[in-house]
Amino acid sequence: CKQISVAKVYSSIPLPLKICVAILINIIYFYSVCFTYQWNLVVYTGAQGFKRRTTVTTKGKRARHGYVTPLLWPSIGYFEFNVMTCLNLLTAKDVTYICPYIGALRGTLTVTNYRLFFKCMDREPAFVLDLPLGVVSRVEKIGGASSRGEVSYGLACKDIRNLRFAHKQMEDSLRKSIFEILMKCAFPVSNGLTIFAFEYGQVYPENGWKVYDAQAEYKRQGLPNESWRITKVNDHYELCDTYPSTLVVPVNIPDEELKRVAAFRAKGRIPVLSWIHPESQATVIRCSQPMVGVNGKRSKDDEKYLQTIMDANAQSHKLFIFDARPSVNAAANKMKGGGYESEDAYQNAELVFLDIHNIHVMRESLRKLKEVVYPNIEESHWFSNLESTHWLEHIKLILAGALRIADKVESGKTSVVVHCSDGWDRTAQLASLAMVMLDGHYRTIRGFQVLLEKEWLSFGHRFQLRIGHGDKNHTDADRSPVFLQFIDCVWQMTRQFPAAFEFNEYFLITILDHLYSCLFGTFMCNSEQQRVKEVSKTVSLWAYINSQPEEFTNPLYVNYSNHVLFPVVSMRHLELWVGYYIRWNPRMRPQEPVHQRYKELLAKRAELQKRVEELQREVTNRSASSSSERAGSPTRSITPVQTFV
Amino acid sequence: MFDGRVLLKQVILLFWPLISTWVQGAEKIDSCQLQVLEMLSSLGSAGGKSAKPSFVSYVTPEEIKSEKEPSRKEKHPDLLPGEVVFCSASTVLKYTQDDLSQRGVFGVLLCTNFRVSFVSDEEPTEEMVRTLFKNKLYGENDIPLSCVDNIYGDKRKLITGGLVKNKYPSKMIIHCKDLRVFQFSLSFSKEEDAKKIFQGIVHHCLEPKSLRCLFAFSYCENTSPNRKCVGGLFTKLLRKKQTVMFDSVEDWTQDMKRTKGNCRVVSENSNFELSPKLPQYFIVPKNVSDEDLTKYQGKGLPMWCWSHHSGCALFKTASIPLVQEDNVCCRMLTAVAHNHLYSVKTEDLSDTLPTVQDILLSYNKFKQFFLIDNTTEFWMSDMKWFSSLDNCGWLDIIRQCLQKAVEVVESLEKENTNVLIMEEGGSDLCCVVSSLVQLMLDPYYRTLLGFQSLVQKEWVAGGHAFLDRSNHLHLKDKVESQSPVFLLFLECVWQLQQQHGPAFQFSETYLTVLSDSVHVPVFTTFLFNNDGHRDSLLRAESPHTQRSPLNCPTVWDWSVQFDCKAQDLFTNPLYTEKPKQDTSVRKSYRPRHLRQLSLPSSAFKTPPKKGFFKDEADNLKKILGVKRLSRWMLSPSSDSPQTSSSVREFYEAWQTKPLDYHGLLLPCLDGPSIRVWMQRYLRWIHDVQILGGGPVAMLSKVSEILGEVQELQRQLDRHGCTLTSNHKGARPRAKTAAAVIAARSSVRLSSSFPFVTSRNWAFKPAIPTSLLQSLMVTGMPGNLADREDDGGPESLV
C-alpha cells in the first residue's frame, strides 16, 4: 500500500513542489534509461502492451519538451499526466484468472489508476486481459479463505462480463491490497479521487470538443428561417439547467413567454426544435411532460406555443404528440403533478402513446440478458431464453416509436412533439433515432458524432447518473442502459441497411466501450452546463475517433443523400447484437472480420485505378505529342467511380 | 329515363344499408344482383360518387363491364409445350395479400395440367420491372400443381381431396410449398364456372394421381425432339464443364480418383439386376466380393461416399434388420475397416437424429409462421416469434444435423478412421450427413458445379426417394413418408454459407431457387425414388419405344427456368477463387500409428493380425446387436455432454487456426449462430421487406466494386497491348452480375430481391399493430414498470 500513499502525497503536494517533481522526472527521464527501477512510485509495467503505449506517449512529449518551461501551468499538467498515467499501483504475480472459456490462467496482475492488466505468458499467444477500471461496476470477495488457501474476487462489469481472479493466500497484506486497491481505483468518485479522464493527457491532432457547434448544425438544417429563431434565453442555463444554451424556438414566441411555458413543463424543458424537414418544414420537437397534475391544469401559453409550432408547418393542420410512455404510466404521473396533453386543451393535436417502458424495466431486462449470454449460451432454449429477457422487445418498441415519428414527419408532412417524463431518456432515444432515419447526414461518422453531442449530451441525458461513473453504488436505481439501447437500435438499422451508414460496427462498439472506460470526457457529466465547466480538462472521444477514421469506416457505404430509411421493426428482422453482447465468448467470434474481403476489394480497386491512371497519362502524353485534340478523351473515361443505389 | 334513374338512385341510397348487407352477405352474385350493381355503377359514373365510402365495393364498375365482354374470356397464360387447360373461371378476385381492406384484382383463374394460373384482367403495366428474375416456366401468379401445399375454404377450413361434392367456398386460400399465399374469391364468377374450377383445382392438386399424369411427361414428349438434336453430341463434349451426373462408370471412377479413394466401382447393377433399389453404379470397399453383392442383393452394402486425403473414407449403408444373418454386417464392417488402417466407426443415424416424421412435423409448424393470411395476425405472432421458433424445433433439427456432420468430420479429419453411417433405408439422413461432411471437407463441392454434382451423387444417384418424400402424387399410403429432407439439407448448407460466405461459389438465391425447383414437376431430378424407378418410367414413357429413354431436362439446366442474366444472381460475388497452386491435398503430419493407439476404446480397431481380428469381430457383432458400438450412440437427443464437448473442442481448435476458405470449414453451432433463412421464408411477406436495404444492398455494392475491378483490369490489359496504337473510346462494357444489379439499382431494391420487386413507389413503413398487447408488465418483478424514471427515494426500497 506504500504506492498509494505516495500517490496521495503527490496529488496533495503544493504546486511549486509539483514543479520540482516534474523537473526531477524530466531530468531522470532524460538521463536514466532504467527510470522504472529508480522510482518506486512510477513503475512502467513490464507488460508488453503497456510498455508500447507508454513509449508512444513519451515520444510525443519529448518533442514538446524542448521548449516548454517547467514553470508554465500546461506543462505541469503534462508532467502530472505523465506520472499519473503510469502510476502503477500494484503488480501481483501468480494471480489466477479464472476464464469461463479457457479455464484457470496464471499470470501477473497489474492495477493502475486507469486499468487492470492481466497477462499470462504460459499460453501461445500470450493471454492478455486489459480492462479499464471504469468498466467495473462491482468488486466483491467470493467466499472467504477457502480450504485450499485461495482467495478470489469477482468483478462485475458494465460491458456484459464478469471476471474472477484468485490467488494463493501468501501474505495477508497482498490479498488485502488487491481488494482495497480495486475498490479504491475502480470507484474514484466514491473515494474522493478524480476520474481518470481528468488526468488523461494524450494529445490528438484534432480537438474533439469542436466537432459539434450548435449554430453550425442548425445552419446546416437551414435555421434560423422565417418561422424559427435561435434564442439566447438559456445562455446561462437560467431557463433550464439541463438544456443546451442554444435553443431553436418559433419566431413568434418572445423569450418572456418561453419562461411561462417553462413553468408548465417538467424541469423547465420546453418544447424546442430538434430537426426540421428540408422540404416540408415539418419538425421534430422535443420537450418534457406538461405539469397537468391531478386537477388537469392547463396553460394558455403552452397551448399557444404548440399551436405556433403547428402553424410553422404550412403543410399540415395537425400536430402529433408522441408520449413515449405507456398510457398507464403517463396517467400515473398525474399523481406527481405531471401527465400528458389532453386533446381538449390542445386542439388539432393528436396524442399517441408509444408504450416504451421506463429505465428500471430496461435495467432489469439487461440484467436478464447478461444472465442468458454470459458466460455460456444454453443451446437448446436459446430463443426462448432470449425472449424471456424482453430485451429485443424493448428494442422493437423503441424502433417502432421512432419509425412512427419518422413516418409522420416524412410521409405525413406533420410536425411532431416527442416527450416522456423528463425528456432526457426515451425522448432522446426516439428523437435521435427518428433523425437517423430521416437525415442521411447523421449516418456519417461526423454526423453521428454531432447527433450524439446534440440530442444526448447537450440536451442533458444524464450519463453520469445512468452509467454511474466511478461510483461504487452499483444498485443505484438511476442506472439504466438507455444509451446502450439507442446504440443497439442504430446497430439494428445498420444490419438492415448495410450500405447506408458510413460507420461500421466497430465504431458503435468503440463508443460503448468508452461510454464506460472513463478515458474521455465525452460521457462524463449530466448536462451541458456541467460539461462546459469540465471540458477543458478532458479529451473528447471524437478526437480519438477522428484521428483514425479509416478504422471506423464502412467500406460498403453508399451515400444515399435524402434517402429516408424505414427499418422493419418486426422481430423477424431483429437480432441480438452478438458482436457486442456475446463478444467475450471466443466461439462466437468470427475468424475473419466480415469486412475484410470488402476492404481487400477496395484496395485492389484503388491499386488498379492508380495503374490505369498512370497508363492513361502515358497514353495521353503520347497522343498529345502526336495529336492534341485526342488528349481529353482518355482522362474523361477515368472519372471517379460513380456510385449507384 | 333520366328521371327514373334519379328516382332509383334515391331509393337505393335510402335502402343502402340493406342492399349492402345483401350484396356482401351473398355467397355469389346472381344475375339480379349484378343488374342492380351494374345500375348502381352506371349511376355512379353518371352522378359523381355514388356510394358512401363505407361501401367497400369489391366490384368496381369496370370489372362488371369487362365480365360482359365475351372476348376477354379466352385469356390464358402462355402455355408451355404439352400444357393443356382443364378448366377456367373468369371474374375471380385475387386479394392483394398486403392489404387488409379486402381489395384485389379481377381476372381469370385457370387450371392446367401444369399449374393453377391467375391471369389478371388489368393490362400488365410494370411487367418491365419483373423481367430480370422471371421464371420462364411459371409467373408470379402461377402455382405449379405440385407446389400447392394446402387449400383452405371459408373460415379457413382445410380442404381435402374427395370431400368436395357440388359445393364450393366463396373464398379459397392456397398455400404454396414455396410459401406464397394466394387468396381468391369465387363469389363473383358464374356458379358453374366456380364449381368447376374449384373442383378442378382440388382434384388436380390434392387427389391421388398416377406418376404419368405429372406434367414432366407431357412436357418432355413435346420438347424432346429439338432438345435432342441440340443435346446429344454437345453434352458429351461439354461434359467437363457440366454437372457430373453420376450415371456412368466413368463419373464414379473420376470422382474416386479425384479424392484418391481406393475402392471398387460396381457396374453389375447397370440394368438393375442386383436390385432395382440400388443405384445403377456405385462404389464399395475393395474387400467386398462379387459373391457378397449377389448373395445379399445389395442389402447392407457399404457405399462409398468420399475419401479423405489421409486414406480413410466415409461410407453409408442401409441398416440391416438384425434378424438377418449377422454375418453380413460383420463382413461389411470388415470390408470397410480394411479400407484404411483397420479402423471403423459406425454411426446409426436413426438413433441420434430425428426421424423423417419428426422433421415433417417440425417443418409443418415452422412454415406456418410464414404463411401469412393477414397482417394483423402477423404482427400478433411477432411478439412470440422467438419462443415459437424454439417450440417448433426446426432450427434445432438443423443444428443436430450439422453437429452430427461435424462429428463425422472430426473422426475423418482428426482421427483418420473410416466412418460408416447407417440408417434404415440409407437414403435420407445419410444423404444429409454425408453431403454436409463433404461440403465441409472438400472445397470442390462448394463451387456451383461441384455442389450440383454433390446433389447428383448423394441424392439423385444415391437414391433419395424424392417422389415419396415430396408426395407429388398425393397417394394415401405415402402420406406417412412425406418429409422435407432435401430442404433440411439445403437449410444446413445455407447455415454454412451464411457463416462462411466467401467459401461458396453459389449464392443464397441459388439455394432458394433450388428449394423451389423441387416442386416444379418438370425436372427429372426430383421426380423419382431412385435410379431404377427413373429408368423404368422414362423408358416406358418414351414415344420411341425402342431404346432411348425419354429425354427430360434436369434441374441443373437452369436455362429452362431462367435466362443468363438471372442466372448471374446464382453466383456469389464474394467467392474467393482458389489460389493457383494446388493446396487441396494437405499433408497430415500426425504420426498415424500413435493416433491409432490413443483412439477411444469404444472405437473399433484391430491389430493387423487376422486371427485376432476375428475374435474382436465376434465381439463387435454382439456389441452391434445392442447398438452400442459407437461412442456417439449414448443418447438420442445428442445432449450427451461428452459428445458436445468433444465437438466443441474440435471446433475451437479449428477456430484458432487461420481461416482457409479452401480447406476445412466448420459451422458454429451456438444458439445465435443458427438462423432463419430470411430470404426463403420472408420473401413474400410484404410487411417485412426492407426497402432499400437487406443483403442485396451489400451485394449490389460488392458486385459493383467487383465489376469496376474487372473493368479496370481489362482497361489495364488493353492499355498494355495497345499502348502504341490508337486509343479507342473506353466505355465500360462490363455486363457482369454487377451490371445486372447496378442497372436495376435505380429501382429501390428490397430485402426480398430478387423474388419480389416492390412496385409501390410511395412506400409506407409497416407499423406494427398490436403494440399494446406487447406490454408485458405481467411478468415484471417488483412493479418496475410503475416506477418513476427518477430513481427517487421511494423507488430505492
Side-chain angles (χ1 to χ4, degrees), chain B residues 87 89 165-168 186 189-201:
Chain B
C87 48
K165 287 273 186 304
N166 279 324
K167 278 194 291 182
Y168 68 94
L186 300 175
S189 32
K190 290 203 192 88
E191 195 176 334
E192 219 172 291
D193 282 352
K195 206 185 287 171
K196 222 192 249 167
I197 189 80
F198 176 69
Q199 281 168 3
I201 290 174

PDB file of all heavy atoms in Angstrom, chain B residues 87 89 165-168 186 189-201:
ATOM      1  N   CYS B  87     -59.712 -26.361 -66.992  1.00  0.00           N
ATOM      2  CA  CYS B  87     -60.911 -25.560 -66.759  1.00  0.00           C
ATOM      3  C   CYS B  87     -60.504 -24.149 -66.404  1.00  0.00           C
ATOM      4  O   CYS B  87     -59.355 -23.881 -66.057  1.00  0.00           O
ATOM      5  CB  CYS B  87     -61.756 -26.167 -65.641  1.00  0.00           C
ATOM      6  SG  CYS B  87     -60.794 -26.596 -64.199  1.00  0.00           S
ATOM      7  N   ALA B  89     -62.199 -20.115 -64.921  1.00  0.00           N
ATOM      8  CA  ALA B  89     -63.325 -19.306 -64.461  1.00  0.00           C
ATOM      9  C   ALA B  89     -62.916 -17.856 -64.540  1.00  0.00           C
ATOM     10  O   ALA B  89     -61.787 -17.503 -64.183  1.00  0.00           O
ATOM     11  CB  ALA B  89     -63.684 -19.674 -63.027  1.00  0.00           C
ATOM     12  N   LYS B 165     -68.101 -32.094 -53.017  1.00  0.00           N
ATOM     13  CA  LYS B 165     -69.181 -32.555 -53.893  1.00  0.00           C
ATOM     14  C   LYS B 165     -70.152 -31.400 -54.072  1.00  0.00           C
ATOM     15  O   LYS B 165     -70.847 -31.016 -53.123  1.00  0.00           O
ATOM     16  CB  LYS B 165     -69.922 -33.739 -53.242  1.00  0.00           C
ATOM     17  CG  LYS B 165     -69.126 -35.040 -53.261  1.00  0.00           C
ATOM     18  CD  LYS B 165     -69.354 -35.805 -54.552  1.00  0.00           C
ATOM     19  CE  LYS B 165     -68.717 -37.164 -54.558  1.00  0.00           C
ATOM     20  NZ  LYS B 165     -67.295 -37.215 -54.313  1.00  0.00           N
ATOM     21  N   ASN B 166     -70.130 -30.848 -55.254  1.00  0.00           N
ATOM     22  CA  ASN B 166     -71.124 -29.841 -55.591  1.00  0.00           C
ATOM     23  C   ASN B 166     -71.101 -28.590 -54.727  1.00  0.00           C
ATOM     24  O   ASN B 166     -72.002 -27.784 -54.775  1.00  0.00           O
ATOM     25  CB  ASN B 166     -72.536 -30.427 -55.516  1.00  0.00           C
ATOM     26  CG  ASN B 166     -72.834 -31.188 -56.776  1.00  0.00           C
ATOM     27  OD1 ASN B 166     -72.391 -30.767 -57.852  1.00  0.00           O
ATOM     28  ND2 ASN B 166     -73.512 -32.299 -56.653  1.00  0.00           N
ATOM     29  N   LYS B 167     -70.112 -28.502 -53.911  1.00  0.00           N
ATOM     30  CA  LYS B 167     -70.022 -27.290 -53.110  1.00  0.00           C
ATOM     31  C   LYS B 167     -68.746 -26.565 -53.486  1.00  0.00           C
ATOM     32  O   LYS B 167     -67.796 -27.164 -53.954  1.00  0.00           O
ATOM     33  CB  LYS B 167     -69.980 -27.639 -51.618  1.00  0.00           C
ATOM     34  CG  LYS B 167     -71.339 -27.894 -51.029  1.00  0.00           C
ATOM     35  CD  LYS B 167     -71.274 -27.893 -49.526  1.00  0.00           C
ATOM     36  CE  LYS B 167     -70.510 -29.100 -49.001  1.00  0.00           C
ATOM     37  NZ  LYS B 167     -70.471 -29.166 -47.554  1.00  0.00           N
ATOM     38  N   TYR B 168     -68.769 -25.295 -53.250  1.00  0.00           N
ATOM     39  CA  TYR B 168     -67.511 -24.577 -53.408  1.00  0.00           C
ATOM     40  C   TYR B 168     -67.528 -23.386 -52.462  1.00  0.00           C
ATOM     41  O   TYR B 168     -68.579 -22.821 -52.186  1.00  0.00           O
ATOM     42  CB  TYR B 168     -67.269 -24.162 -54.847  1.00  0.00           C
ATOM     43  CG  TYR B 168     -68.208 -23.104 -55.357  1.00  0.00           C
ATOM     44  CD1 TYR B 168     -67.823 -21.751 -55.291  1.00  0.00           C
ATOM     45  CD2 TYR B 168     -69.429 -23.423 -55.907  1.00  0.00           C
ATOM     46  CE1 TYR B 168     -68.674 -20.782 -55.762  1.00  0.00           C
ATOM     47  CE2 TYR B 168     -70.282 -22.468 -56.375  1.00  0.00           C
ATOM     48  CZ  TYR B 168     -69.900 -21.135 -56.300  1.00  0.00           C
ATOM     49  OH  TYR B 168     -70.735 -20.172 -56.750  1.00  0.00           O
ATOM     50  N   LEU B 186     -64.331 -16.580 -55.150  1.00  0.00           N
ATOM     51  CA  LEU B 186     -65.044 -17.157 -56.285  1.00  0.00           C
ATOM     52  C   LEU B 186     -66.467 -16.631 -56.375  1.00  0.00           C
ATOM     53  O   LEU B 186     -67.238 -17.021 -57.237  1.00  0.00           O
ATOM     54  CB  LEU B 186     -65.080 -18.685 -56.158  1.00  0.00           C
ATOM     55  CG  LEU B 186     -63.717 -19.381 -56.108  1.00  0.00           C
ATOM     56  CD1 LEU B 186     -63.906 -20.861 -55.868  1.00  0.00           C
ATOM     57  CD2 LEU B 186     -62.965 -19.151 -57.402  1.00  0.00           C
ATOM     58  N   SER B 189     -67.849 -15.071 -59.811  1.00  0.00           N
ATOM     59  CA  SER B 189     -67.912 -15.745 -61.106  1.00  0.00           C
ATOM     60  C   SER B 189     -69.181 -16.600 -61.172  1.00  0.00           C
ATOM     61  O   SER B 189     -69.846 -16.830 -60.162  1.00  0.00           O
ATOM     62  CB  SER B 189     -66.673 -16.599 -61.332  1.00  0.00           C
ATOM     63  OG  SER B 189     -66.196 -17.113 -60.132  1.00  0.00           O
ATOM     64  N   LYS B 190     -69.458 -17.063 -62.334  1.00  0.00           N
ATOM     65  CA  LYS B 190     -70.677 -17.847 -62.529  1.00  0.00           C
ATOM     66  C   LYS B 190     -70.598 -19.115 -61.687  1.00  0.00           C
ATOM     67  O   LYS B 190     -69.540 -19.723 -61.546  1.00  0.00           O
ATOM     68  CB  LYS B 190     -70.810 -18.214 -64.004  1.00  0.00           C
ATOM     69  CG  LYS B 190     -71.117 -17.033 -64.878  1.00  0.00           C
ATOM     70  CD  LYS B 190     -71.785 -17.530 -66.166  1.00  0.00           C
ATOM     71  CE  LYS B 190     -71.851 -16.427 -67.202  1.00  0.00           C
ATOM     72  NZ  LYS B 190     -70.629 -16.383 -68.046  1.00  0.00           N
ATOM     73  N   GLU B 191     -71.718 -19.487 -61.161  1.00  0.00           N
ATOM     74  CA  GLU B 191     -71.748 -20.612 -60.243  1.00  0.00           C
ATOM     75  C   GLU B 191     -71.120 -21.864 -60.872  1.00  0.00           C
ATOM     76  O   GLU B 191     -70.322 -22.558 -60.253  1.00  0.00           O
ATOM     77  CB  GLU B 191     -73.199 -20.896 -59.859  1.00  0.00           C
ATOM     78  CG  GLU B 191     -73.302 -21.799 -58.651  1.00  0.00           C
ATOM     79  CD  GLU B 191     -74.742 -22.000 -58.231  1.00  0.00           C
ATOM     80  OE1 GLU B 191     -75.561 -21.119 -58.518  1.00  0.00           O
ATOM     81  OE2 GLU B 191     -75.016 -23.046 -57.627  1.00  0.00           O
ATOM     82  N   GLU B 192     -71.478 -22.066 -62.090  1.00  0.00           N
ATOM     83  CA  GLU B 192     -70.999 -23.246 -62.799  1.00  0.00           C
ATOM     84  C   GLU B 192     -69.478 -23.237 -62.903  1.00  0.00           C
ATOM     85  O   GLU B 192     -68.792 -24.207 -62.590  1.00  0.00           O
ATOM     86  CB  GLU B 192     -71.588 -23.193 -64.218  1.00  0.00           C
ATOM     87  CG  GLU B 192     -72.026 -24.512 -64.778  1.00  0.00           C
ATOM     88  CD  GLU B 192     -72.747 -24.244 -66.091  1.00  0.00           C
ATOM     89  OE1 GLU B 192     -73.869 -23.672 -66.047  1.00  0.00           O
ATOM     90  OE2 GLU B 192     -72.156 -24.560 -67.129  1.00  0.00           O
ATOM     91  N   ASP B 193     -68.977 -22.072 -63.344  1.00  0.00           N
ATOM     92  CA  ASP B 193     -67.533 -21.928 -63.512  1.00  0.00           C
ATOM     93  C   ASP B 193     -66.822 -22.125 -62.189  1.00  0.00           C
ATOM     94  O   ASP B 193     -65.818 -22.825 -62.102  1.00  0.00           O
ATOM     95  CB  ASP B 193     -67.203 -20.525 -64.040  1.00  0.00           C
ATOM     96  CG  ASP B 193     -67.472 -20.425 -65.518  1.00  0.00           C
ATOM     97  OD1 ASP B 193     -67.765 -21.486 -66.112  1.00  0.00           O
ATOM     98  OD2 ASP B 193     -67.395 -19.304 -66.052  1.00  0.00           O
ATOM     99  N   ALA B 194     -67.367 -21.473 -61.178  1.00  0.00           N
ATOM    100  CA  ALA B 194     -66.720 -21.515 -59.878  1.00  0.00           C
ATOM    101  C   ALA B 194     -66.639 -22.938 -59.374  1.00  0.00           C
ATOM    102  O   ALA B 194     -65.606 -23.387 -58.880  1.00  0.00           O
ATOM    103  CB  ALA B 194     -67.489 -20.646 -58.892  1.00  0.00           C
ATOM    104  N   LYS B 195     -67.739 -23.634 -59.525  1.00  0.00           N
ATOM    105  CA  LYS B 195     -67.772 -25.013 -59.074  1.00  0.00           C
ATOM    106  C   LYS B 195     -66.725 -25.831 -59.822  1.00  0.00           C
ATOM    107  O   LYS B 195     -65.958 -26.591 -59.261  1.00  0.00           O
ATOM    108  CB  LYS B 195     -69.168 -25.590 -59.328  1.00  0.00           C
ATOM    109  CG  LYS B 195     -69.519 -26.733 -58.386  1.00  0.00           C
ATOM    110  CD  LYS B 195     -70.847 -27.336 -58.752  1.00  0.00           C
ATOM    111  CE  LYS B 195     -72.041 -26.454 -58.394  1.00  0.00           C
ATOM    112  NZ  LYS B 195     -73.299 -26.977 -58.944  1.00  0.00           N
ATOM    113  N   LYS B 196     -66.701 -25.589 -61.109  1.00  0.00           N
ATOM    114  CA  LYS B 196     -65.810 -26.363 -61.951  1.00  0.00           C
ATOM    115  C   LYS B 196     -64.348 -26.096 -61.594  1.00  0.00           C
ATOM    116  O   LYS B 196     -63.546 -27.012 -61.431  1.00  0.00           O
ATOM    117  CB  LYS B 196     -66.058 -25.991 -63.428  1.00  0.00           C
ATOM    118  CG  LYS B 196     -66.056 -27.196 -64.340  1.00  0.00           C
ATOM    119  CD  LYS B 196     -65.997 -26.725 -65.756  1.00  0.00           C
ATOM    120  CE  LYS B 196     -67.298 -26.996 -66.508  1.00  0.00           C
ATOM    121  NZ  LYS B 196     -67.330 -26.257 -67.787  1.00  0.00           N
ATOM    122  N   ILE B 197     -64.026 -24.827 -61.470  1.00  0.00           N
ATOM    123  CA  ILE B 197     -62.623 -24.504 -61.239  1.00  0.00           C
ATOM    124  C   ILE B 197     -62.192 -24.999 -59.864  1.00  0.00           C
ATOM    125  O   ILE B 197     -61.103 -25.539 -59.697  1.00  0.00           O
ATOM    126  CB  ILE B 197     -62.354 -22.986 -61.407  1.00  0.00           C
ATOM    127  CG1 ILE B 197     -60.841 -22.697 -61.391  1.00  0.00           C
ATOM    128  CG2 ILE B 197     -62.965 -22.160 -60.299  1.00  0.00           C
ATOM    129  CD1 ILE B 197     -60.165 -22.972 -62.667  1.00  0.00           C
ATOM    130  N   PHE B 198     -63.087 -24.850 -58.904  1.00  0.00           N
ATOM    131  CA  PHE B 198     -62.720 -25.286 -57.558  1.00  0.00           C
ATOM    132  C   PHE B 198     -62.490 -26.786 -57.530  1.00  0.00           C
ATOM    133  O   PHE B 198     -61.478 -27.278 -57.027  1.00  0.00           O
ATOM    134  CB  PHE B 198     -63.816 -24.887 -56.569  1.00  0.00           C
ATOM    135  CG  PHE B 198     -63.563 -25.391 -55.187  1.00  0.00           C
ATOM    136  CD1 PHE B 198     -62.528 -24.877 -54.428  1.00  0.00           C
ATOM    137  CD2 PHE B 198     -64.349 -26.394 -54.629  1.00  0.00           C
ATOM    138  CE1 PHE B 198     -62.284 -25.342 -53.161  1.00  0.00           C
ATOM    139  CE2 PHE B 198     -64.112 -26.872 -53.370  1.00  0.00           C
ATOM    140  CZ  PHE B 198     -63.083 -26.344 -52.632  1.00  0.00           C
ATOM    141  N   GLN B 199     -63.456 -27.493 -58.130  1.00  0.00           N
ATOM    142  CA  GLN B 199     -63.304 -28.949 -58.128  1.00  0.00           C
ATOM    143  C   GLN B 199     -62.096 -29.372 -58.948  1.00  0.00           C
ATOM    144  O   GLN B 199     -61.383 -30.309 -58.601  1.00  0.00           O
ATOM    145  CB  GLN B 199     -64.565 -29.617 -58.655  1.00  0.00           C
ATOM    146  CG  GLN B 199     -65.627 -29.648 -57.578  1.00  0.00           C
ATOM    147  CD  GLN B 199     -66.992 -30.019 -58.114  1.00  0.00           C
ATOM    148  OE1 GLN B 199     -67.129 -30.308 -59.299  1.00  0.00           O
ATOM    149  NE2 GLN B 199     -67.989 -29.985 -57.255  1.00  0.00           N
ATOM    150  N   GLY B 200     -61.863 -28.626 -60.015  1.00  0.00           N
ATOM    151  CA  GLY B 200     -60.708 -28.944 -60.851  1.00  0.00           C
ATOM    152  C   GLY B 200     -59.413 -28.782 -60.080  1.00  0.00           C
ATOM    153  O   GLY B 200     -58.552 -29.663 -60.070  1.00  0.00           O
ATOM    154  N   ILE B 201     -59.317 -27.651 -59.395  1.00  0.00           N
ATOM    155  CA  ILE B 201     -58.081 -27.398 -58.651  1.00  0.00           C
ATOM    156  C   ILE B 201     -57.902 -28.443 -57.558  1.00  0.00           C
ATOM    157  O   ILE B 201     -56.828 -29.023 -57.396  1.00  0.00           O
ATOM    158  CB  ILE B 201     -58.103 -25.968 -58.054  1.00  0.00           C
ATOM    159  CG1 ILE B 201     -57.969 -24.942 -59.188  1.00  0.00           C
ATOM    160  CG2 ILE B 201     -56.979 -25.793 -57.057  1.00  0.00           C
ATOM    161  CD1 ILE B 201     -58.123 -23.517 -58.757  1.00  0.00           C
TER     162      ILE B 201
END
